[in-house]
Amino acid sequence: LNSLLSAGFITYLAAASEDVRADMLGKWQKYVGLQDFGFPTFMSKESEMLVWKAEGLPSDGLSMENAIVILNSTQVPYIIDPSTAATNW
């Protein structure tokens, strides 16, 4: 079920805002009966996230989720980055 939710997140929620992501993921978790699911912790290791932080990626949850989506997508993502955080990373 973790893989199903992760695939859905990358496919359908990558372009959504942080609050929409949290809301939809919560609904999906209830639907499949999964209570404890963390997209970043399932899709990456803490050591990977620490490397991303050392490379300049902000440590907030949204940035970590976006990094995971970028690194696990088969298509090239379209990134709107007014703060240039993703571009610099």
Side-chain angles (χ1 to χ4, degrees), residues 44-57 64:
S44 68
K45 298 175 185 167
E46 187 67 30
S47 59
E48 287 177 307
M49 290 189 266
L50 289 172
V51 169
W52 301 339
K53 291 176 194 177
E55 292 173 344
L57 187 69
M64 291 295 144

Side-chain angles (χ1 to χ4, degrees), residues 2-73:
N2 289 336
S3 296
L4 178 66
L5 291 177
S6 296
F9 187 99
I10 291 172
T11 304
Y12 298 109
L13 299 179
S17 64
E18 192 171 9
D19 57 328
V20 171
R21 287 177 178 184
D23 182 50
M24 289 303 299
L25 199 54
K27 289 178 182 178
W28 292 350
Q29 285 177 252
K30 286 181 185 177
Y31 184 75
V32 298
L34 191 61
Q35 293 181 8
D36 294 326
F37 173 72
F39 176 71
T41 55
F42 179 72
M43 291 296 294
S44 68
K45 298 175 185 167
E46 187 67 30
S47 59
E48 287 177 307
M49 290 189 266
L50 289 172
V51 169
W52 301 339
K53 291 176 194 177
E55 292 173 344
L57 187 69
S59 60
D60 62 286
L62 182 63
S63 295
M64 291 295 144
E65 288 175 355
N66 288 341
I68 293 166
V69 169
I70 289 168
L71 295 172
N72 290 284
S73 295

Side-chain angles (χ1 to χ4, degrees), residues 56-58 63 66-67 70 79-89:
L57 187 69
S63 295
N66 288 341
I70 289 168
I79 301 171
I80 300 172
D81 187 25
S83 67
T84 69
T87 306
N88 292 333
W89 171 66

